[in-house]
Amino acid sequence: MAEKPDSGTLFGMPYNFERPSIGRLLSAYWQPGKGMLVEKPFGVGYTLNLASWRSWVVLLVAAGLLYNERSASMEPEDSDEEEPVEVVVDD
């Protein structure tokens, strides 16, 4: 039986299931001169290239949105009882 390859592409999506090492992880996430997205060092798909300033902007925006969501959910809601609404139907 033929061995399955540990890395390659499938339908245009890169995959890599080789055992990751620290050197390979660091070199995968820091690639100066490459675009914002680079191939993942382990798994399927792409990840952010931390050598690109655009990746840091994406991370800052995501952190800001997460902070905004969590701070909004921590605020106490108004506990005022809502009064019933009177509906007038004109025949």
Side-chain angles (χ1 to χ4, degrees), residues 2 24 30 35 48-49 65 85 90:
R24 204 172 92 211
W30 191 268
L48 291 175
N49 179 10
L65 291 172
V85 178
D90 196 21

Side-chain angles (χ1 to χ4, degrees), residues 79-91:
S79 62
D80 297 337
E81 294 290 325
E82 292 186 23
E83 297 182 20
V85 178
E86 185 177 333
V87 178
V88 178
V89 179
D90 196 21
D91 288 326

Side-chain angles (χ1 to χ4, degrees), residues 3 5 9 19 24 27 38 49 53 55 60-61 64 66 71 88:
E3 267 189 52
T9 58
R19 186 179 189 126
R24 204 172 92 211
S27 67
V38 291
N49 179 10
W53 64 270
S55 297
L60 287 173
V61 167
L66 182 63
S71 65
V88 178

